Amino acid sequence: MQQAFKKAEKALAFLASVAILLLLWWLLSLGLKSPAVPLPLDAGQSLLQSLRGELLLHLGVSLYRVLLSLLLATLLAVPLGILLGKDPVIDNKVAPLLYLTYPIPKVVFMPIFLIVLGIGDSSKILLITLITFYQILVTTRDAAKNMKKEYVSSMKSLGASSWDLYRHVYLPGCLPAILTSLRLGLGTALAVLFLAETYATQTGIGFFIMDCLSRMNYEEMFAGIIAMGLMGFFLYVLLDQAEKFLCSWIHL
Amino acid sequence: MSVDYLSIASLHVEYLQRGKTITALDSVDLSLSQGKTGVIIGPSGCGKSTLFNVLAGLNDRYAGQVLINGQAPRGGGETALILQEYGLFPWKTVWDNVILGLQLRKKTPREIQSQATMILDKLGLLPLAKRYPAQLSGGQRQRVAIARALVLEPKLLLMDEPFSSLDALTREEIQDFLLEIWQETGLTILLITHNIEEAVFLGHRIFVMSPGPGHIEQIVENEMAGDYELRGKIPFLEMCNLLRSYLHRRKKYAAGV
């Protein structure tokens, strides 16, 4: 009963936020009187129309790029992060390298990626992978480093192998931190995606938006912006749900 | 002469901390017969946990002789370890925590099912099987930790301050519970505690440890341990006082009084 009430309250708060957002948008649009910021209803109509056209295709390409990048980054960063976090000897050797390279804005390497890997998907995907890789790596390493000693000792006293420790202790124990870093990384990934898609490409939502801009097709441009925003939102919700499902022990 | 189940002779353990060698344990001799309970008591920093790490097979860089049933300690053997904060994994349910050791020993799903069900049932934990540790009380968590150790049918149970975070009443309940387990299984138990009453209630042999470097200061034979009715009786209180005097003497000596 109380739980149902809480749920209803949450849904209501969410709807209210959406309403406030739409209202602000509507006011902004009325105030600016610019074709670049259409009224919400007009924008919604043009979004539906654009989706029937090319937009869906571009959206699909972008989604593919960002999902593959995040997947690659996770597969690379999580095992390495745990390895560094649980083994101080290796960590001491690698830490200076991380320290030196972490603050470099990796996005400036985009031109190099374009030259070396060409203008296809791989340069974009690898650029996003590289950037999110760092975020996930550092968070995972810190989480593994802070793993309670008791967990490791009690596992070892059961005669556990390294793989057992990995599977039963480090991976599940670091998972909340990993998913948090993924949620943070998602924002970065989408921003980098947009940038990467505005150069030397004919596909992707970034291209679509900039192409509309150059053709002064503001309606479609705005539809593209909303589509990208919604894509980000749904990916975020997806990760949020994944966290609730995979880390149910935190949400008791 | 009976052969001791657990025997430690001239144990010496050092470790490196920021380039300096620190002696954690020096000339430790300790022995315990099969089916007896031993209690280690002493101030912080006297090397109690270091000793346990050696016994649990977590640290094999030591000098001296350590034999458990005639063999050097190793993880996953006949020794079970229960740690201060229980070492239960918060991301696993009670059930998954308990079956973990069986899984690591590559038991069949059928064996796992039957053994875990049996032990949980015996400890009255079956209704809690699907809960996570965070949803349990301190006493319940302690029971789960004991269940997780017992399901592996160990011969030696090592407990590092197992009851330190329990309230007084729960603490006595769990002490009784441990006694029950001990009587039923005939386990050899070695337990670390800060609590004098607990030491006298549970330990047939009490080892008083001192720091700097860690060593055994005094061994107190306490055959009255293992009796539920013991608490509050005169001999019990006398033994507590004796133990207290040993611990205080050591403290004064350390403080230079």
Side-chain angles (χ1 to χ4, degrees), chain B residues 19-234:
Chain B
K20 270 183 10 195
T21 306
I22 293 175
T23 306
L25 290 173
D26 190 41
S27 347
V28 170
D29 297 293
L30 182 154
S31 64
L32 202 59
S33 316
Q34 181 146 22
K36 291 285 181 186
T37 56
V39 170
I40 297 173
I41 191 165
S44 324
C46 67
K48 294 171 296 194
S49 297
T50 306
L51 177 62
F52 261 33
N53 282 341
V54 170
L55 289 176
L58 300 175
N59 178 7
D60 56 8
R61 292 162 72 177
Y62 58 85
Q65 195 187 46
V66 179
L67 291 175
I68 298 172
N69 203 10
Q71 286 184 323
R74 62 184 177 89
E78 293 180 334
T79 305
L81 175 68
I82 297 179
L83 290 162
Q84 225 156 1
E85 284 302 318
Y86 320 136
L88 294 177
F89 301 115
W91 47 84
K92 286 183 184 285
T93 59
V94 167
W95 178 264
D96 289 337
N97 263 294
V98 170
I99 65 169
L100 187 59
L102 297 170
Q103 283 176 323
L104 295 185
R105 288 185 191 184
K106 308 266 183 287
K107 301 268 185 182
T108 65
R110 213 191 197 155
E111 282 174 304
I112 292 176
Q113 182 78 24
S114 74
Q115 273 174 272
T117 307
M118 198 180 75
I119 202 84
L120 284 173
D121 190 29
K122 202 161 132 192
L123 304 199
L125 292 167
L126 259 189
L128 305 176
K130 283 187 179 148
R131 297 223 190 149
Y132 286 94
Q135 294 169 307
L136 304 177
S137 71
Q140 288 169 333
R141 255 179 283 188
Q142 186 55 62
R143 277 168 191 259
V144 176
I146 294 174
R148 187 169 76 173
L150 290 184
V151 78
L152 300 171
E153 298 174 339
K155 298 268 170 62
L156 174 65
L157 190 58
L158 301 171
M159 305 177 92
D160 188 354
E161 290 183 39
F163 313 133
S164 56
S165 55
L166 300 179
D167 61 87
L169 208 64
T170 314
R171 193 179 180 123
E172 291 195 354
E173 250 172 52
I174 296 277
Q175 286 169 356
D176 286 350
F177 175 69
L178 183 65
L179 219 54
E180 212 176 294
I181 301 262
W182 169 72
Q183 283 170 346
E184 231 173 88
T185 56
L187 271 170
T188 309
I189 297 176
L190 190 61
L191 178 141
I192 292 175
T193 184
H194 274 305
N195 185 304
I196 291 170
E197 282 79 15
E198 187 164 284
V200 177
F201 186 69
L202 290 175
H204 291 123
R205 191 173 265 190
I206 302 167
F207 305 93
V208 180
M209 283 188 78
S210 289
H215 62 281
I216 291 173
E217 181 86 5
Q218 192 107 32
I219 298 174
V220 181
E221 300 291 342
N222 178 39
E223 277 307 321
M224 68 177 124
D227 174 7
Y228 295 102
E229 310 296 319
L230 200 58
R231 286 191 198 97
K233 283 193 177 159
I234 303 290

Side-chain angles (χ1 to χ4, degrees), chain A:
Chain A
M1 182 66 196
Q2 210 172 6
Q3 232 168 0
F5 187 70
K6 246 186 183 166
K7 255 187 182 165
E9 205 174 21
K10 245 183 171 172
L12 213 64
F14 179 74
L15 286 176
S17 309
V18 173
I20 290 170
L21 211 61
L22 286 172
L23 182 72
L24 286 175
W25 175 1
W26 186 68
L27 287 173
L28 189 73
S29 169
L30 281 184
L32 282 175
K33 285 199 175 71
S34 157
V37 187
L39 289 166
L41 202 64
D42 297 343
Q45 269 171 348
S46 71
L47 176 63
L48 286 179
Q49 213 159 30
S50 304
L51 280 177
R52 266 180 249 131
E54 277 191 342
L55 180 57
L56 204 59
L57 183 86
H58 293 293
L59 206 59
V61 172
S62 291
L63 194 66
Y64 158 74
R65 287 172 182 160
V66 80
L67 283 180
L68 189 59
S69 305
L70 285 174
L71 183 71
L72 278 176
T74 310
L75 289 180
L76 292 171
V78 168
L80 186 62
I82 292 177
L83 179 73
L84 295 181
K86 74 177 203 164
D87 193 333
V89 178
I90 303 179
D91 191 49
N92 279 340
K93 295 203 172 93
V94 180
L97 193 70
L98 273 180
Y99 191 82
L100 275 175
T101 52
Y102 180 69
I104 299 173
K106 261 71 69 182
V107 72
V108 299
F109 293 123
M110 191 168 86
I112 299 169
F113 274 68
L114 284 174
I115 294 167
V116 176
L117 295 166
I119 57 172
D121 269 352
S122 57
S123 61
K124 296 167 187 60
I125 289 170
L126 284 179
L127 182 68
I128 304 170
T129 303
L130 177 71
I131 292 169
T132 41
F133 167 80
Y134 267 87
Q135 292 188 339
I136 301 169
L137 178 71
V138 172
T139 320
T140 309
R141 184 187 67 158
D142 289 350
K145 226 178 203 169
N146 293 327
M147 186 61 62
K148 274 198 198 167
K149 270 193 181 152
E150 286 103 62
Y151 297 152
V152 179
S153 301
S154 68
M155 194 68 190
K156 278 188 184 162
S157 75
L158 290 172
S161 64
S162 298
W163 167 242
D164 293 327
L165 264 173
Y166 216 93
R167 197 167 82 100
H168 291 287
V169 179
Y170 283 105
L171 196 58
C174 295
L175 201 54
I178 292 167
L179 285 163
T180 302
S181 72
L182 262 172
R183 274 189 293 185
L184 294 173
L186 176 67
T188 322
L190 288 171
V192 177
L193 173 81
F194 179 78
L195 188 73
E197 284 181 345
T198 52
Y199 286 95
T201 181
Q202 300 288 318
T203 52
I205 191 77
F207 163 76
F208 179 86
I209 292 169
M210 296 315 276
D211 187 49
C212 289
L213 176 69
S214 64
R215 290 190 283 110
M216 289 193 290
N217 186 349
Y218 296 137
E219 250 176 52
E220 274 205 84
M221 179 188 81
F222 204 78
I225 292 173
I226 299 175
M228 185 152 190
L230 286 176
M231 181 169 88
F233 175 73
F234 282 118
L235 287 175
Y236 190 85
V237 170
L238 202 71
L239 281 174
D240 208 34
Q241 291 306 311
E243 200 254 359
K244 286 211 171 92
F245 177 72
L246 293 170
C247 309
S248 56
W249 55 279
I250 289 180
H251 308 278
L252 296 171

